[in-house]
Amino acid sequence: MRGDKGYEDIIYLPHPVSRNHPPMPVGDRAAQFAPFAALTGYEEAVEEAARLTECRIELDRDRIEELDRELRRLREHIKERPEADIVCFKADERKTGGALVTLSGRVKKIDEYEGRLIMADGSVIAIEDIYGIDLKLGESPAEEED
């Protein structure tokens, strides 16, 4: 058998059309041949695993004393709602560790009972997570907010 001689009996027949099922739309037919993504989410998982985090650093005695002095100074000026840059440890939400970040803004309150700073923008920083406080006293007038 050469060429189409083996199909001479069916090659010119009309294409069969089902009476029970409507024809598939062309877009759905094309989707049958789209690449199969067996590893959906794999790229994201690899990126997440490669993302680095830092371990929480234990402060030495000298640094703890210096931080205590900075907190006392902040307490003295808290009614002024001073502007400050606060270096603190922010735990990672997805994996062990985190990162040191610097948060800037006005300090509204020191909550001694809960051990945290409350900023004027509503953010909260645990005192145990603080590594440094840089007060910006007298650089801008305090705003009257509650």
Side-chain angles (χ1 to χ4, degrees), residues 3-40:
D4 55 27
K5 290 183 181 178
Y7 300 106
E8 288 176 1
D9 57 336
I10 61 169
I11 197 154
Y12 297 109
L13 292 176
H15 180 74
V17 177
S18 171
R19 293 182 186 143
N20 300 327
H21 304 286
M24 182 183 286
V26 175
D28 291 347
R29 290 180 66 197
Q32 294 179 69
F33 303 101
F36 176 64
L39 300 175
T40 302

Side-chain angles (χ1 to χ4, degrees), residues 71 74-75 78 107-119 123-128 130:
L71 282 167
L74 177 58
R75 260 185 225 101
I78 198 68
V107 182
K108 180 178 179 180
K109 178 181 175 183
I110 300 175
D111 183 346
E112 303 280 347
Y113 184 74
E114 295 287 332
R116 59 192 188 162
L117 296 183
I118 300 171
M119 307 299 283
S123 58
V124 176
I125 304 167
I127 290 175
E128 67 183 17
I130 296 175

